[in-house]
Amino acid sequence: MKRILTIAGSDSGGGAGIQADLRTIALLGGFGMSVITALTAQNTLGVQDVYPVSPEFIEKQIDYVITDIGVDAVKTGMLANARVVKVVARRIKGYRIEKLIVDPVMIAKGGEDHAPIIHKKTAQLLCDYIFQFRGTATKEDYLFVADSGNNRI
């Protein structure tokens, strides 16, 4: 059973984020673990508010999961700000994560609304810090991108 760590925001409406990631991991037969990067107040009509988790606490979540349980792959979702991107990138590099799925959540889709949820500078940092680590996943790894349904890459 593959151990998949998802590092993403929590969707209080249950339709995206950590909640969707964990459902997808389970559906594909993996063992899902999570690091929460932000809490949202949202429903099917849209995102009302976002509360970022501190980078220090995100780092602790990553460290405690990986050093105890281990990880076969990591999937990132919403990384709410520049400090979070840097912490996640540092931990990915430090733990030599070879299989990384980057799902750069930048806008919230809900109802008629498509609101940006990260700043343009944060989006650029994703390119500078996170995309450099993307490895090649094989279909035997049964990895996924949560927003694309049950597709395997």
Side-chain angles (χ1 to χ4, degrees):
M1 179 178 287
K2 298 290 183 179
R3 301 161 299 168
I4 311 298
L5 175 62
T6 176
I7 303 173
S10 176
D11 173 357
S12 59
I18 290 284
Q19 290 80 353
D21 291 349
L22 291 173
R23 281 193 308 273
T24 304
I25 292 166
L27 181 67
L28 296 174
F31 178 75
M33 302 163 291
S34 62
V35 169
I36 307 291
T37 62
L39 306 171
T40 65
Q42 71 183 86
N43 56 26
T44 60
L45 302 177
V47 176
Q48 308 308 313
D49 202 0
V50 176
Y51 182 82
V53 173
S54 77
E56 296 80 16
F57 192 71
I58 291 169
E59 189 166 34
K60 284 181 183 180
Q61 291 179 79
I62 294 169
D63 290 343
Y64 284 115
V65 169
I66 292 177
T67 58
D68 177 39
I69 302 168
V71 67
D72 295 306
V74 170
K75 185 256 181 199
T76 64
M78 182 173 72
L79 304 178
N81 59 50
R83 290 178 58 215
V84 170
V85 170
K86 289 177 183 178
V87 162
V88 171
R90 185 171 63 243
R91 301 324 293 149
I92 288 169
K93 184 176 182 179
Y95 287 111
R96 296 183 176 102
I97 303 299
E98 294 180 13
K99 293 188 171 59
L100 175 65
I101 305 299
V102 179
D103 179 10
V105 178
M106 296 184 205
I107 62 168
K109 296 178 275 187
E112 305 279 326
D113 200 15
H114 286 57
I117 55 175
I118 67 171
H119 191 275
K120 285 184 180 181
K121 180 180 177 184
T122 304
Q124 183 59 49
L125 283 173
L126 275 168
C127 294
D128 296 344
Y129 285 89
I130 301 292
F131 289 145
Q132 67 176 311
F133 299 114
R134 281 207 63 201
T136 303
T138 65
K139 65 181 181 179
E140 291 81 35
D141 293 314
Y142 299 106
L143 301 177
F144 67 95
V145 176
D147 286 345
S148 64
N150 295 330
N151 296 333
R152 295 176 180 175
I153 64 167

